[in-house]
Amino acid sequence: MSDFVIDQKEIERSCELLRAGQLVAFPTETVYGLGADAGNVDAIAKLYKVKGRPGNHPVIVHLSELAAVDNWAYLSKEARLLGETFWPGPLTLILPRKAHVSTLLTGGQDTVGVRIPSHPTALALLSTFGSGVAAPSANKFGKLSPTTAAAVKEGLGEEVSMVLDGITPDIGIESTIVSLVGEPSILRPGMLLPEDIAAVCGLELKLAYLKSEAEGESEPVVKAPGTLDSHYAPQRPLLLVERGKLGEVLLELGHKGLTCNLLAFADSQSLIDSVAQDLADKVSIDRSLFVERQAKDYARGLYGNLRHLDETGAASCIVVEEPPGDSAWHGVRDRLKRAGHGSSLQSLFLSV
């Protein structure tokens, strides 16, 4: 799809729908967004209703250029540096909101999230629309984010007025969210490295997502989207398993007569094959996907792979080999930990 041609008539039709208070789904370089006119409170209310999104969960305002941010938020020197470096791109900044910005957008807070996507279809839409578009991921709240137009249509159906097609998202998971209000923090990791962000803005950044992970619960105030303990979840329970325990978990599932769909690294395939041989007639793996140990490629295919494993066969669960822990993998690990929140072998065995 690299030679995809943007249909300007579809862009203009989408803008007409947005101005009329309707919802339009569109691709970004991260995932598909479900867009509403950020200046229309009725459209925002409709967006929350269709998503099934709690009112205290802020949404991100998408804009076409850095100059437009001044209409929505107060830009500090550090924020401007980050914008000039990483926009257009997969970075969201949490900034003090301007007075006219509706608290429906911000979850009742005095801050607003803003972003300039790099996807050509998204930029064409935003440039033609000429104002801010509020756009969380184009799926029901808490579920797997879509990375194709087909996945949006399957999940939302006629609740969205139009779904723009475009080049498949190149990043594959949601944007990195950096708050520059109060203690500078990365609230949600993405595919931008924390050390690169800190080097540009010259600030020491707290990795807030690691703190909440260690404490085992989310902050009482939802400062940014996608930060609940349970989020990005497939329908089937997801078990995130470190490499050293993969064989043990697969054996336990097999002995209980349960099957799984498996997402693992290619260099673990020999281990998996040996477990399958040991199980003989009690094979616990229904479907398997083996991927390379490359963070960017893994992220790009993550939601598509999880969707495939969620919809294929009759497995009891999805088993995912835990990715590495270095900063290049923080975004992927964050999504998988939230996708698997609350799932365990014990809960699976109790359901049998």
Side-chain angles (χ1 to χ4, degrees):
M1 291 193 53
S2 59
D3 57 351
F4 183 86
V5 177
I6 296 172
D7 187 333
Q8 189 59 32
K9 289 184 178 179
E10 285 199 346
I11 295 294
E12 291 170 359
R13 173 60 180 152
S14 296
C15 290
E16 291 174 4
L17 290 168
L18 287 172
R19 294 185 186 105
Q22 301 302 306
L23 305 182
V24 172
F26 61 97
T28 77
E29 73 279 14
T30 58
V31 299
Y32 261 77
L34 181 61
D37 180 354
N40 182 335
V41 293
D42 292 331
I44 298 167
K46 182 174 184 176
L47 174 66
Y48 273 78
K49 181 178 180 181
V50 168
K51 281 275 298 182
R53 188 182 189 89
N56 66 337
H57 284 60
V59 292
I60 297 166
V61 177
H62 291 65
L63 301 162
S64 63
E65 59 182 353
L66 182 57
V69 175
D70 286 316
N71 297 325
W72 298 86
Y74 293 97
L75 273 166
S76 64
K77 176 185 72 174
E78 293 82 5
R80 194 171 295 277
L81 281 171
L82 288 173
E84 290 171 348
T85 303
F86 295 110
W87 284 339
L91 172 71
T92 294
L93 293 179
I94 305 295
L95 303 169
R97 66 176 175 88
K98 292 290 179 74
H100 72 86
V101 176
S102 172
T103 54
L104 288 177
L105 281 172
T106 68
Q109 300 174 64
D110 290 330
T111 56
V112 63
V114 291
R115 171 165 118 77
I116 302 172
S118 62
H119 194 286
T121 300
L123 283 176
L125 174 69
L126 294 165
S127 297
T128 303
F129 185 63
S131 187
V133 173
S137 57
N139 57 294
K140 292 296 183 179
F141 183 73
K143 300 303 180 183
L144 282 175
S145 298
T147 52
T148 65
V152 176
K153 293 172 184 176
E154 180 183 341
L156 297 179
E158 295 182 358
E159 293 184 282
V160 57
S161 296
M162 190 168 185
V163 180
L164 284 170
D165 207 344
I167 300 168
T168 302
D170 184 57
I171 302 298
I173 64 171
E174 296 80 2
S175 62
T176 303
I177 299 181
V178 175
S179 173
L180 294 179
V181 178
E183 183 178 10
S185 304
I186 299 180
L187 302 181
R188 180 178 74 185
M191 295 309 291
L192 297 178
L193 297 180
E195 52 266 37
D196 290 345
I197 297 171
V200 168
C201 67
L203 298 172
E204 183 176 345
L205 295 170
K206 172 185 173 183
L207 304 185
Y209 56 91
L210 294 182
K211 177 175 181 290
S212 63
E213 176 184 308
E215 292 178 351
E217 59 182 24
S218 298
E219 297 282 350
V221 176
V222 181
K223 298 177 181 177
T227 55
L228 287 183
D229 294 332
S230 179
H231 214 71
Y232 316 109
Q235 296 298 319
R236 289 173 172 156
L238 185 149
L239 303 178
L240 188 59
V241 181
E242 61 185 79
R243 181 187 174 113
K245 294 184 178 179
L246 267 179
E248 175 187 335
V249 168
L250 293 173
L251 284 168
E252 285 194 56
L253 288 170
H255 290 315
K256 290 287 187 178
L258 297 175
T259 61
C260 72
N261 286 342
L262 173 71
L263 177 61
F265 291 108
D267 55 19
S268 296
Q269 187 163 1
S270 59
L271 167 67
I272 305 303
D273 289 344
S274 67
V275 172
Q277 288 176 3
D278 291 341
L279 284 170
D281 61 336
K282 287 188 175 181
V283 177
S284 64
I285 303 170
D286 188 6
R287 302 285 192 277
S288 57
L289 291 175
F290 293 96
V291 296
E292 296 301 321
R293 201 177 285 270
Q294 300 291 334
K296 289 183 179 180
D297 291 340
Y298 191 104
R300 188 179 299 118
L302 176 61
Y303 289 137
N305 287 336
L306 289 181
R307 190 176 299 277
H308 172 73
L309 295 176
D310 199 30
E311 296 172 350
T312 304
S316 305
C317 64
I318 300 171
V319 172
V320 179
E321 180 180 355
E322 189 172 24
D326 58 89
S327 61
W329 290 89
H330 280 186
V332 166
R333 287 175 61 89
D334 174 83
R335 303 311 186 273
L336 287 171
K337 284 183 177 295
R338 296 181 196 279
H341 181 77
S343 298
S344 67
L345 278 176
Q346 289 71 28
S347 61
L348 275 174
F349 295 161
L350 288 172
S351 67
V352 176

